Amino acid sequence: MSCARLACLVWLSALAARADSIFVSDERGDDLRVISARSHAVVAALPIGKRPRGMCLSPDRRTVYVALGDEDAVAVVDVASRAAVRKISVGRDPEQVAVSPDGKVLYASNEAASTVTAIDVASGRTLFVAPVGTEPEGVAVTPDGSRVYATGESTDDVTVLDARSGRVLGRIEVGARPRWVAFSPDGRRAYVSAEVGGTLSIVDTQTNRVEAAIPIGNGQTKPDGVAVSPDGKRVYVSEGRGAAVSIVDPRTRSVIARIKVGERPWGIALSLDGTRLYAADGGSDDVAIVDAEAAKAIAKVPVGKKPYGVLYVADPTP
C-alpha cells in the first residue's frame, strides 16, 4: 500500500471517529444532556447545578461554561470527561455567558443584578462588574475581543462595554425586550432579537446605530435565540411561541424561510460547517435537528424538562 493511500485511510478513519456532540441545558432538570451529533441519541446526562441556562464553548473546544441561575455561579465543564470540574461565582441570577476569543476571560450577564461580571478563567478572579441595562440576558463578545454587548430586557437597549475595563462605551435602543445578541463573522454587524417587539435588529458596530429592524414570524412570535452561519450569509432566529426558526438574509434584510420545529424554541446553535441547526424546544422538551441547507427539520430528540440552551461541541481532537 502506498504512503499516500495509507495517509488517506488514516485521515478517513479519524474523520469517522469524530465525536461531535450537542450539549443541552435542562433548566428544570438541573443537568446537561449530551446528544451524539452522529446518531442523534442522548449519550449522557450530567448533574450540573441549579437552573442551568446559557452556555458557551472555549475557543479550544475543551471546556463548556454554563450559567447556573439559582446558584449565582457558572459551572466549568470538561468536555473530554463530561464532568463539572469547578464553579465560578458571578452576580445574581446569571442568564448567559460568553468567552473572549483568546479564552482567557469569561463574561456573565446577571439578570437580577443588572450587571455583567468579567472573570479571569485561570484564577477565577473577578476582573470587573459593570452596570448594564435592567434585566440583562444576552451577552456576547465582538470577534476581535475588544467589546462586550449586553441586552437589557426591561430597558429595551444594548449596553456596549470595553472588554478590558468594563467601561460603558454606549447604549443602543432596540426593540422591546431584547434577548439574544450575535455578531457577523467580521464583527461589523450585531444581530439583536426583541421578544416583545417581534423583530431582529441589525446594528452597525462601527457606529452602534440600528440599520434595520426586521419583523420576525407570524404575529404570535417571540424572537429569542440568534445564530449566524459561518459565512455570514444567513442569520437564524428562534421564534418562541411561533414554534419555528426564521432564516434572515442580512443582505436583503428579509426573512427568506421559516422552519417548523418544536414548541417554544429558545436557544439555537449551528454545526461547525453550518449544515445543521439545533433548536432547544422548551415547550415540547426536545431538540429539533434541522437540515440548514434544505431548511427542514429532520429529527427531534426528547431531552429533560424545559431545555433552554443548546451548544454544538466539535470534537477537540485534531
Side-chain angles (χ1 to χ4, degrees):
M1 181 182 296
S2 70
C3 291
R5 180 175 172 79
L6 178 60
C8 182
L9 288 174
V10 169
W11 179 81
L12 288 172
S13 176
L15 185 65
R18 285 185 64 90
D20 293 4
S21 303
I22 300 98
F23 280 54
V24 185
S25 57
D26 183 2
E27 187 174 358
R28 289 183 179 167
D30 294 339
D31 63 18
L32 292 184
R33 302 297 171 103
V34 182
I35 300 170
S36 166
R38 185 185 308 161
S39 68
H40 299 167
V42 176
V43 296
L46 320 176
I48 194 69
K50 296 179 180 179
R51 199 174 171 227
R53 305 190 80 187
M55 299 182 289
C56 67
L57 180 66
S58 64
D60 63 7
R61 307 199 298 268
R62 297 181 184 278
T63 307
V64 170
Y65 301 99
V66 188
L68 301 176
D70 286 351
E71 293 191 29
D72 300 342
V74 173
V76 180
V77 178
D78 177 69
V79 170
S81 64
R82 292 177 179 166
V85 295
R86 61 179 171 136
K87 293 179 181 178
I88 302 172
S89 295
V90 289
R92 287 189 296 135
D93 190 16
E95 182 96 0
Q96 292 189 34
V97 286
V99 67
S100 60
D102 62 9
K104 294 181 179 180
V105 182
L106 183 70
Y107 302 91
S109 58
N110 308 304
E111 187 171 25
S114 296
T115 60
V116 164
T117 301
I119 300 291
D120 177 81
V121 169
S123 66
R125 179 172 61 91
T126 298
L127 300 175
F128 66 73
V129 178
V132 294
T134 306
E135 291 187 297
E137 175 161 338
V139 62
V141 187
T142 54
D144 66 3
S146 66
R147 289 165 292 163
V148 175
Y149 283 52
T151 61
E153 287 188 79
S154 295
T155 42
D156 301 338
D157 62 10
V158 176
T159 301
V160 184
L161 303 173
D162 180 279
R164 288 183 176 273
S165 67
R167 181 169 62 91
V168 175
L169 300 177
R171 295 184 187 270
I172 308 163
E173 292 185 5
V174 290
R177 200 168 181 83
R179 299 296 298 266
W180 239 268
V181 58
F183 295 100
S184 60
D186 61 9
R188 295 185 63 85
R189 300 292 182 272
Y191 303 104
V192 184
S193 60
E195 184 181 37
V196 174
T199 60
L200 177 74
S201 291
I202 301 179
V203 177
D204 182 333
T205 59
Q206 307 304 304
T207 63
N208 283 332
R209 292 181 178 177
V210 175
E211 294 183 328
I214 302 166
I216 300 295
N218 58 7
Q220 299 300 315
T221 293
K222 300 291 183 184
D224 203 322
V226 181
V228 182
S229 64
D231 61 9
K233 294 181 178 180
R234 288 184 169 188
V235 180
Y236 299 87
V237 186
S238 65
E239 295 188 9
R241 291 182 184 174
V245 174
S246 280
I247 304 177
V248 174
D249 181 335
R251 184 182 61 85
T252 62
R253 298 175 180 176
S254 62
V255 174
I256 58 175
R258 294 180 71 228
I259 308 163
K260 296 299 292 183
V261 291
E263 297 177 19
R264 299 293 293 268
W266 288 320
I268 55 177
L270 286 164
S271 60
L272 207 59
D273 60 6
T275 62
R276 290 288 184 268
L277 176 78
Y278 305 89
D281 300 322
S284 50
D285 296 338
D286 58 41
V287 169
I289 300 174
V290 173
D291 182 326
E293 295 178 343
K296 181 179 179 180
I298 57 175
K300 288 184 181 178
V301 182
V303 288
K305 302 174 182 178
K306 197 179 178 182
Y308 174 90
V310 61
L311 189 65
Y312 189 90
V313 180
D315 191 330
T317 58

